[in-house]
Amino acid sequence: QVQLVESGGGLVQPGGSLRLSCAASGSIFSINGMGWYRQALGKQRELVARITRSGSTNYADSVKGRFTISGDNAKKTVYLQMSSLKPEDTAVYYCNLGSIRYDYWGQGTQVTVSS
């Protein structure tokens, strides 16, 4: 069994910053990569950022230059540093872990950007 534990979500003002963390626990055969997805009200779930085991990253165009993903393979943990936040970043953010056999998901954490 695998569990993903997220932290760092909450309410922040426009232009502010938040740092999300996601730690994986349990027996995992092999990790291909970890990432963050989000789903805003009335919109489809979308990829925000992803990092592979080798450290390669990719980002949604909407967050490039503002968000940074990083990971710790030994700790099976991924981080998302979010800066210059905008109201349109408001969404439920989901942590994802892709193994060689299966995809695992966190429960989701709410990020709200509002004055």
Side-chain angles (χ1 to χ4, degrees):
Q1 295 182 344
V2 174
Q3 184 179 16
L4 303 180
V5 180
E6 303 173 355
S7 62
L11 175 66
V12 66
Q13 294 181 339
S17 299
L18 284 174
R19 183 177 176 87
L20 305 182
S21 299
C22 176
S25 62
S27 181
I28 305 172
F29 181 76
S30 180
I31 299 174
N32 291 328
M34 296 184 70
W36 293 93
Y37 294 72
R38 69 186 182 188
Q39 186 166 19
L41 187 63
K43 295 185 177 180
Q44 299 181 33
R45 182 180 295 186
E46 64 175 350
L47 172 69
V48 177
R50 179 175 173 82
I51 184 168
T52 69
R53 185 179 180 87
S54 65
S56 179
T57 60
N58 66 290
Y59 298 89
D61 288 340
S62 60
V63 307
K64 287 181 179 178
R66 300 189 298 118
F67 291 10
T68 301
I69 189 170
S70 61
D72 186 326
N73 288 331
K75 295 182 178 180
K76 298 183 177 64
T77 300
V78 66
Y79 308 93
L80 185 67
Q81 177 65 49
M82 304 184 294
S83 301
S84 301
L85 283 162
K86 305 174 181 179
E88 50 263 44
D89 294 317
T90 296
V92 178
Y93 284 69
Y94 297 91
C95 179
N96 168 262
L97 184 155
S99 75
I100 196 169
R101 294 187 177 188
Y102 199 75
D103 285 338
Y104 301 92
W105 294 89
Q107 77 282 3
T109 185
Q110 178 70 46
V111 172
T112 302
V113 184
S114 176
S115 298

